[in-house]
Amino acid sequence: MAVVNTLSSHATDDNDLVELAGYHSYVHYDIDEVFKVNEKKFRVIDTIYNTDTGLDALTVQNVKTRELTVVFVGSEQMDTDWIGTNTKLLSDAPPAQVREAVAYFEHINDEVGEVSSVSGNSLAGALTNAVGIDNPGVKAVTLNPAILPAGMVDPDKEYANITNYYSKFDFLTGTEETIKMGDRIPGKKYGINNGVPSFSMLGSNHTGYIKQDANGEFTLEIGIEGEPGHGFVHIGADDHIVTSLWTGAPLYGGQNERIEMNQENMMLLSHGIRDNVKGRLGKVSEYVGNSVRIVHTENEKFHQRVTALQDAFQQKFEETAGEPVFMGITTTGFVMKACIDELIRLLDKAEDKCRILNNVLNSKPVEIVEYITSVNLSVETLFDAPKEYLEQLKADIDDLVASVGTIISNEIPELFKGGKDLFVDAVVGELDAHYDILERNKESVYKQLQDYERQVQDIADTFHDKDASIAEAIQTSVSPTDGIGSVQKTALITLEPSPYLKVGMKIKEIQVQMAHNQINTLGMTVLMPILISVKTVLTLIEAALDAIILAVNAVLTVGIYGNPVSLLISLFTDYEQKIKNAVQEVLEPIIEMETSIEGIRLGMDRMIINLPEMLSNFKPYIDTAIFEPGKFSDVRLYNVSALAVLDDMEVLFEDITFQLSGQKAMAIEATLEISKNVLGNIQLLKEQVNRGTL
């Protein structure tokens, strides 16, 4: 087995080239400016900006190794980049900007010094690949590159010097692959797990970076400072390029050459576990911890969320009527009941006035007795029916108040229930239970990695001690001692499975839909029939009042104008005026009642018409109450970020397991068994975190 020499820690590698392409190319440095990339210093040697073709580029030099890198700048100019070049990439002929990029590279290579690498993002990725095709001895690294014109890429060539990294959430490369044009991007293509699934992050998902923070890191702020769950996630593309702990080579596209596990390489493994593996798990712990804090906060606010949903239902239901008299209909119905009591009072008043009218009709002057037949109003016949209807209206309002109250008090809290264990707060409860298990598993893996790191360190020390013992024996002609230092033992562990979040984050969508269906059903099967009943009673009351008015007006006509001498008699008596006054006193409360009843009926009509729409529009309130959408999105973003890190850890440990397999030393064979166990545990953690992203 060959021993592979480790790369210089100062050499310009793929991680550096990706950051140069996705971030520093867009900064527009001046010549001689010095900046840092992954703790390495680069100096700007040459720049070319605002050319006629739209080409922007800079040449930088690694201060330590003196390596030169040409960095092309991605699409920034709408006319020359997007219209003048990007659209022409679909054609067969190389656009002018591609030709100028090749010319610029040749100029730097011939006039300044030998160029060791080129890089670029987006359109600049296409320019980089064009240079890489013509210069197979130059490393070309791109991030989310555009395609090259047809005919520039030979499908039969490997282009081993070209590496293209595709961000997980990039729209450009995703589209290119969808429309089957990926064959117009030469070289190797590797997917990396940077970026977040957010529309607002389309640009940074494509470039791979956002503005550096005060510490020079590329972090995305999540949440609001001071609130639980506020934090940052690392989204720099080069953070997610996983490289070998031993060679620094990217771990994509199959296994690397197996190395010999000597003391030096075991030390590298120990340090790699400490810095790369445990460091990555620390990020996972940070992200998951922020998710847990958000979930715990939502859990603590359960009663507030229920109350908020109850208040929203109360307000929205009352607003469907658009009448002040309906205010409080969801609680006591006091205003409506007071209005009905007033209607009953007015009806009683009209009934009393009607009896007075009968007395007036029965006291006609003696001179016209023989000409006018006695006219009388049947008070009971006219007033008994509306009295019954008003009592029925009051009963229906009581029923409505009680039914709405039951929905608010009893049914709305039920909307939150569900989940695997029938949690009172289904979504928050299930997330909380899942995270309890995930947290315990994460701590177990971290402890296992600590032991594993010490075990590998002890084995490396043992290699050294054994070698020293043999050397001493050779020098002293004394048999080497068999004693070696103690080696840390690492336990094989089995993580706890989680029965929760089997449907992933869709649990909220499912719960919201179930709750919305339930509130719709309650509204249409419980409340709608009562509203219709109330409207029916109001219509009957209006008809009964119309009957009273008709009867009273008929009495007026017959009592005054129903005889041949009424006109003559009216000239000499006040009989007609008495009847008119009495009729007016009967009609006044009835007309007042009709106005009030009409207002109530119109409000009830609006409630009947608006209730289905109100129930339909109530879904966002349910969605917010079950789990505030912004916070739920933050939980998912943290999970996406944690999953990306675990994906990287899996790639890293797959290589560790590969490198440890087939080794001769028994100690390393034992370490291999632990490595496989750790890999399996990382995969289980990954699966459990993944449930929070779906």
Side-chain angles (χ1 to χ4, degrees), residues 166-363:
Y166 288 7
S167 298
K168 185 175 184 179
F169 300 106
D170 175 51
F171 68 92
L172 176 63
T173 51
T175 301
E176 290 167 345
E177 294 299 325
T178 300
I179 63 176
K180 309 297 183 184
M181 286 196 171
D183 59 348
R184 289 166 65 169
I185 297 176
K188 302 178 286 294
K189 305 177 185 70
Y190 301 140
I192 55 176
N193 292 307
N194 69 295
V196 292
S198 172
F199 184 78
S200 64
M201 297 294 291
L202 282 177
S204 62
N205 284 341
H206 181 54
T207 64
Y209 296 88
I210 58 176
K211 187 176 180 180
Q212 283 182 318
D213 60 22
N215 298 318
E217 297 182 344
F218 303 100
T219 56
L220 172 67
E221 185 174 15
I222 296 181
I224 300 174
E225 187 174 1
E227 293 187 359
H230 170 259
F232 300 85
V233 295
H234 297 260
I235 64 169
D238 63 301
D239 284 345
H240 294 278
I241 297 176
V242 186
T243 58
S244 167
L245 299 179
W246 295 278
T247 67
L251 295 176
Y252 302 99
Q255 300 290 352
N256 291 316
E257 180 184 358
R258 186 175 279 117
I259 65 176
E260 181 180 351
M261 280 299 159
N262 52 27
Q263 182 207 8
E264 179 186 2
N265 286 330
M266 289 299 286
M267 289 292 291
L268 287 173
L269 174 57
S270 174
H271 295 161
I273 294 169
R274 180 193 63 204
D275 299 331
N276 286 309
V277 182
K278 286 170 59 181
R280 281 182 163 90
L281 190 58
K283 286 184 180 179
V284 172
S285 181
E286 177 186 345
Y287 299 159
V288 172
N290 283 329
S291 291
V292 169
R293 280 184 279 279
I294 293 172
V295 172
H296 284 175
T297 301
E298 288 294 298
N299 189 24
E300 292 167 358
K301 292 181 177 179
F302 173 63
H303 293 294
Q304 296 177 35
R305 292 186 284 116
V306 172
T307 300
L309 190 59
Q310 291 170 324
D311 292 344
F313 188 87
Q314 175 183 333
Q315 177 187 349
K316 295 303 173 184
F317 183 75
E318 291 182 0
E319 288 176 353
T320 59
E323 284 286 338
V325 73
F326 285 86
M327 297 304 295
I329 199 70
T330 58
T331 51
T332 63
F334 173 77
V335 178
M336 178 64 76
K337 291 176 184 178
C339 182
I340 296 173
D341 288 339
E342 177 62 15
L343 292 173
I344 292 173
R345 187 191 69 78
L346 290 172
L347 188 64
D348 289 341
K349 179 181 178 181
E351 184 179 16
D352 291 340
K353 296 299 182 180
C354 196
R355 289 192 173 92
I356 294 173
L357 175 59
N358 277 340
N359 291 335
V360 172
L361 291 171
N362 292 329
S363 63

Side-chain angles (χ1 to χ4, degrees), residues 2 48 159 169 189 277 428 493 623 655 660:
I48 179 171
Y159 299 109
F169 300 106
K189 305 177 185 70
V277 182
V428 173
I493 62 173
D623 184 74
D655 184 61
L660 292 175

Side-chain angles (χ1 to χ4, degrees), residues 393-662:
L393 179 61
K394 184 182 285 189
D396 284 347
I397 294 300
D398 283 337
D399 191 14
L400 179 61
V401 170
S403 297
V404 176
T406 298
I407 289 174
I408 291 174
S409 300
N410 300 337
E411 300 297 338
I412 284 183
E414 292 292 316
L415 303 180
F416 292 80
K417 292 184 178 179
K420 181 184 181 300
D421 292 342
L422 297 179
F423 294 101
V424 172
D425 190 8
V427 176
V428 173
E430 190 148 335
L431 276 167
D432 203 19
H434 180 70
Y435 275 125
D436 281 346
I437 295 172
L438 182 58
E439 284 279 83
R440 289 195 294 272
N441 286 341
K442 179 172 58 64
E443 291 304 315
S444 296
V445 171
Y446 192 81
K447 173 63 167 60
Q448 187 181 36
L449 284 173
Q450 284 183 314
D451 292 344
Y452 183 64
E453 176 198 346
R454 288 195 294 270
Q455 177 177 327
V456 173
Q457 177 71 51
D458 289 346
I459 291 173
D461 292 342
T462 297
F463 276 135
H464 177 267
D465 293 344
K466 189 69 174 178
D467 184 59
S469 176
I470 293 173
E472 182 181 359
I474 293 173
Q475 293 172 355
T476 61
S477 300
V478 178
S479 298
T481 60
D482 292 330
I484 59 174
S486 62
V487 175
Q488 167 72 40
K489 291 184 178 180
T490 306
L492 299 174
I493 62 173
T494 301
L495 299 185
E496 182 181 354
S498 172
Y500 304 108
L501 289 189
K502 290 295 187 180
V503 296
M505 296 298 269
K506 288 183 179 178
I507 184 174
K508 183 190 175 187
E509 178 185 340
I510 293 170
Q511 188 70 25
V512 169
Q513 190 59 55
M514 288 173 54
H516 189 228
N517 291 343
Q518 179 64 12
I519 205 71
N520 260 317
T521 300
L522 289 168
M524 299 307 294
T525 61
V526 175
L527 299 183
M528 184 61 83
I530 300 175
L531 298 180
I532 293 173
S533 176
V534 170
K535 178 185 175 181
T536 301
V537 172
L538 289 167
T539 303
L540 290 173
I541 293 173
E542 285 185 309
L545 296 179
D546 286 340
I548 293 174
I549 292 172
L550 183 63
V552 171
N553 284 330
V555 165
L556 177 62
T557 301
V558 173
I560 298 177
Y561 308 109
N563 62 87
V565 293
S566 59
L567 182 58
L568 180 63
I569 296 302
S570 66
L571 296 175
F572 301 101
T573 71
D574 62 352
Y575 178 67
E576 178 184 350
Q577 191 60 44
K578 285 182 178 180
I579 292 177
K580 286 182 177 180
N581 290 342
V583 166
Q584 183 64 29
E585 290 184 353
V586 173
L587 294 180
E588 279 181 1
I590 298 299
I591 293 172
E592 186 178 348
M593 284 183 68
E594 277 202 319
T595 301
S596 297
I597 291 295
E598 182 183 24
I600 296 173
R601 179 181 56 76
L602 291 175
M604 192 57 59
D605 284 342
R606 285 191 288 270
M607 291 191 89
I608 292 171
I609 294 171
N610 294 336
L611 180 61
E613 183 179 2
M614 171 257 167
L615 294 172
S616 177
N617 294 338
F618 197 63
K619 189 173 184 179
Y621 296 92
I622 297 174
D623 184 74
T624 298
I626 285 179
F627 204 121
E628 198 277 312
K631 296 296 185 183
F632 195 76
S633 176
D634 288 348
V635 170
R636 185 166 181 264
L637 286 178
Y638 277 127
N639 289 334
V640 168
S641 300
L643 179 64
V645 177
L646 286 167
D647 272 332
D648 297 343
M649 288 178 64
E650 182 181 22
V651 172
L652 195 58
F653 242 90
E654 283 175 344
D655 184 61
I656 291 173
T657 302
F658 168 76
Q659 294 294 354
L660 292 175
S661 63

Side-chain angles (χ1 to χ4, degrees), residues 23-63:
Y23 182 74
H24 295 281
S25 66
Y26 296 101
V27 176
H28 294 281
Y29 294 108
D30 294 325
I31 292 176
D32 284 334
E33 275 197 75
V34 177
F35 58 90
K36 279 188 177 182
V37 179
N38 298 317
E39 300 305 317
K40 302 169 189 175
K41 289 184 179 180
F42 288 83
R43 175 177 283 106
V44 180
I45 302 299
D46 186 77
T47 63
I48 179 171
Y49 293 130
N50 302 318
T51 64
D52 292 340
T53 66
L55 177 69
D56 290 340
L58 65 157
T59 300
V60 299
Q61 186 175 51
N62 185 317
V63 173

